[in-house]
Amino acid sequence: MCIRDRFDIVQIRHGEENILKQLSTEINYKIEKPHFNEPDTKTNILLQCHFSRIPLIPDFAYDQRIILEHAIRIVQAMVDVISSNGWLKPAILTMQLSQMIVQAQWIND
């Protein structure tokens, strides 16, 4: 879901790479070969921080709010497409992702 052009609105500010690198050590799912100067990596990290309820600095909290607003719309569209094709298991998993976003917690918490 962290596709580059969808989250280009999330900018990498000067010096944020180091903070992202530190946050990446606290998230559940490590990013293989992360590029801390790219919006998709920042989006992934901030989504995982949301699910884990990791406190963020104000600039990151603002970015996280923007990401969540976009993410919920993307996930709702995914649910619609998947459901209309009759794919039960992917539909359930996508609905669980939607719940994770809304409830700010991992599905198994």
Side-chain angles (χ1 to χ4, degrees):
M1 188 172 75
C2 300
I3 298 173
R4 185 177 317 264
D5 22 335
R6 255 313 169 193
F7 292 100
D8 271 349
I9 55 166
V10 179
Q11 297 183 9
I12 307 297
R13 297 174 195 88
H14 179 72
E16 283 187 345
E17 293 92 347
N18 294 331
I19 301 168
L20 288 170
K21 194 176 292 187
Q22 179 192 356
L23 285 172
S24 73
T25 65
E26 300 177 35
I27 59 177
N28 290 0
Y29 296 95
K30 305 304 178 207
I31 302 168
E32 191 174 313
K33 299 180 185 175
H35 298 276
F36 296 108
N37 60 342
E38 294 184 3
D40 51 334
T41 300
K42 183 176 182 178
T43 299
N44 186 320
I45 291 170
L46 293 182
L47 279 172
Q48 290 195 57
C49 286
H50 176 68
F51 303 146
S52 299
R53 299 183 183 195
I54 296 172
L56 300 171
I57 61 172
D59 285 342
F60 278 15
Y62 173 79
D63 291 341
Q64 187 182 60
R65 185 174 55 87
I66 299 299
I67 290 167
L68 293 170
E69 289 171 2
H70 281 77
I72 197 66
R73 282 184 259 151
I74 292 168
V75 170
Q76 288 170 347
M78 289 169 59
V79 168
D80 290 344
V81 170
I82 292 168
S83 298
S84 67
N85 282 299
W87 302 326
L88 180 61
K89 181 127 178 138
I92 291 171
L93 293 172
T94 309
M95 285 186 261
Q96 287 177 339
L97 176 59
S98 177
Q99 281 186 310
M100 289 168 52
I101 294 169
V102 170
Q103 295 174 353
Q105 67 181 23
W106 294 99
I107 202 67
N108 54 0
D109 285 348

